[in-house]
Amino acid sequence: MTALLLAVLLAAGPAAAADLAKPGYGILLLAFDAGSGWKKDLAALRGRFKNMAVESVGGASDPVAVQKAVERLERQRPGKIVAVALEPMSEAPAMNQARFLLGVREDAAEDRPDVDSERLDGGRKSSLVLPGSTPKWMKRVKSGTPIVMAATMDQSAALVDILADRAAKLSRDPSRDSVLLVGLAPRSDKALKSWQAAADAVAQQVRAKGGFARAAAVHVRDGVRSTQRDRDRDVIKA
């Protein structure tokens, strides 16, 4: 999915860059858990922003890496920093964590099962620190420059266009075929509801754009209790 998000930004080209390229702005590109192969891709994306202060972070879940990128931007003296996350869903746990780190969200975001679901894997108590959760030691990024966050990809028509185009290329007759979108969802059942609603909205936009018969969005989750996994499997089978 991260490669698709990069494709969305690259496909948008100079027009999208111009929307963010306000005088005196700095751009902070946030990629989550990006591998070494992303260095060239992120460099290509930075090149889209001409005559601007641009930095990127390949591991935006790491507060130290984000802090260093912000400091590099501040040395270029922008009037405001616009953080652009390569994440498709506004309700994704990674986005909530990024919002907390950058001071946009007040409460720390923890990607954990709900309080009544703390016993994982059939009831065995676990001391596991789940990947993506926010440890108590995690500190906010310090910046003397105002930071704002751009809307996520589920708010962009470009995401729907690319998904519909890719699905159409795999379909012989869209009017008789269905589109199924699959995404990594929050571990919390409460947070899952808003994530699912946003994902369903994207799926229906893709259906309408591509002229498909039906569309749906399903979720997968890791680090949850066995009963949650069973419910998730039932949803997928349905």
Side-chain angles (χ1 to χ4, degrees), residues 59-71:
S61 298
D62 179 1
V64 176
V66 177
Q67 179 68 62
K68 290 181 178 179
V70 168
E71 291 172 357

Side-chain angles (χ1 to χ4, degrees), residues 130-141:
L130 299 172
S133 63
T134 305
K136 294 182 179 179
W137 52 261
M138 184 172 286
K139 297 181 179 180
R140 292 180 188 272
V141 168

Side-chain angles (χ1 to χ4, degrees), residues 78-164:
K80 180 181 290 187
I81 295 175
V82 180
V84 182
L86 302 183
E87 164 60 48
M89 306 302 297
S90 177
E91 302 298 330
M95 282 302 302
N96 286 331
Q97 181 171 304
R99 292 182 182 111
F100 172 74
L101 290 178
L102 296 175
V104 178
R105 175 188 170 102
E106 184 64 28
D107 299 327
E110 293 188 296
D111 186 17
R112 294 177 177 272
D114 299 316
V115 174
D116 58 353
S117 302
E118 285 296 331
R119 289 182 177 271
L120 308 179
D121 297 327
R124 296 191 306 272
K125 188 174 182 180
S126 173
S127 60
L128 174 67
V129 176
L130 299 172
S133 63
T134 305
K136 294 182 179 179
W137 52 261
M138 184 172 286
K139 297 181 179 180
R140 292 180 188 272
V141 168
K142 296 181 180 179
S143 173
T145 305
I147 300 177
V148 298
M149 294 194 71
T152 47
M153 296 299 178
D154 57 336
Q155 308 299 315
S156 170
L159 176 60
V160 172
D161 290 344
I162 290 179
L163 287 172

